[in-house]
Amino acid sequence: MAVENSLHFERQEAYEWPLAVYLLLGGIGGAFISLSFILHYLFSWSPVGNYGMLIGMGLFALAGLVLIFLDLERPLNAIYSLNNIKTSGISWDVVLIALSFGGAFFYVLPFYVSIPALEGLRLFFGGISAIAGFLFPVISGGLISAPVSVPLWHTPLLPVLFLINSFGVSVSAVPAIFGPGSEILAFIFNLAVFMANLVSLGGFIAFYEHAHNGPVEARYGFHEMWKKFNFQIGFLVVGLLFPLLLSGYMLFTGNFLSWGFGALALAQLIGGFALRNCLLKHGYHTYPWPY
């Protein structure tokens, strides 16, 4: 503690709340596209394959607008970011959004226009969009966890937590919007949400160990984050414990509440933003940087 008191902690200023919104919308958009493709391809669930893809594309479009106008601050910066694709993390995000959005567009197009030449390539475009959508929360989480100078973020757990939260929201939102389809699908959705939140709980405990036993900057940032109402209530209670308890209740009682999946999606959405925003706000480094 004496060492901590002798250090000057400085909060990073590179990332603010717009990036948290971008990470949330982009992650859920990518997960929605991946899940929609899987459900349409495996179960021939046309409404999900059509409108689910469109929802994912819409979320990606919103994420892109947030990135361009609120984070990068001007449209040309998104183009300039592609100049350093080998070294720039944000460039990979832009590429993944383009691949997933473009693939989803050509996958959905035959629902509205008959293009015989496109039919043979539809599976290819759907696969590209699903893979890129799946990778987006992983790569964007890796972008945040890369800086060694902010030890609270510097862990492979962040991409995992972002990925699980993104798919948790999507798996809950699909039956809430389109209906569960059948009892067996309702059970699968419920099981997936329960397992996602169970893994999230385990991931958060591991993240706590990383922060509590890691470098002094990580410990300080986590302790400051832990004191905040939006972290305690927004993430821990609303975004983690409530979905775990509700999905567990529905799973083990077989009582799939009519409002259950909608409540699960909303709770995980709130928790996902609270987690991302609190992490960005409490990324501290010491000044001067000692390493």
Side-chain angles (χ1 to χ4, degrees), residues 32-72:
F32 231 105
I33 285 176
S34 297
L35 185 61
S36 298
F37 171 73
I38 291 170
L39 290 173
H40 184 227
Y41 181 70
L42 294 181
F43 299 98
S44 299
W45 201 351
S46 294
V48 177
N50 181 4
Y51 300 112
M53 283 278 192
L54 292 176
I55 291 172
M57 292 168 66
L59 290 171
F60 262 145
L62 287 175
L65 290 174
V66 169
L67 175 69
I68 290 172
F69 292 105
L70 295 181
D71 190 56
L72 296 179

Side-chain angles (χ1 to χ4, degrees), residues 5 14 24-25 32 39-40 43 72 92-94 101 129 144 147 159 188 199 209 228 235 251 261 286:
N5 292 335
L24 179 69
L25 293 177
F32 231 105
L39 290 173
H40 184 227
F43 299 98
L72 296 179
W92 283 104
D93 278 11
V94 174
F101 190 96
S129 67
I144 302 301
I188 292 173
V199 174
E209 292 293 327
K228 303 304 180 186
F235 172 64
L251 181 66
F261 286 113
T286 51

Side-chain angles (χ1 to χ4, degrees), residues 41-145:
Y41 181 70
L42 294 181
F43 299 98
S44 299
W45 201 351
S46 294
V48 177
N50 181 4
Y51 300 112
M53 283 278 192
L54 292 176
I55 291 172
M57 292 168 66
L59 290 171
F60 262 145
L62 287 175
L65 290 174
V66 169
L67 175 69
I68 290 172
F69 292 105
L70 295 181
D71 190 56
L72 296 179
E73 296 181 348
R74 59 194 182 102
L76 286 178
N77 283 343
I79 300 173
Y80 293 153
S81 69
L82 295 175
N83 291 334
N84 300 312
I85 193 169
K86 292 183 178 179
T87 57
S88 172
I90 201 68
S91 298
W92 283 104
D93 278 11
V94 174
V95 169
L96 288 173
I97 289 178
L99 286 174
S100 191
F101 190 96
F105 174 80
F106 287 111
Y107 186 79
V108 169
L109 193 58
F111 281 113
Y112 301 95
V113 181
S114 178
I115 306 177
L118 191 59
E119 287 296 334
L121 296 172
R122 196 177 185 194
L123 182 61
F124 168 77
F125 285 120
I128 290 294
S129 67
I131 293 170
F134 176 87
L135 289 176
F136 180 87
V138 178
I139 300 300
S140 59
L143 169 65
I144 302 301
S145 64

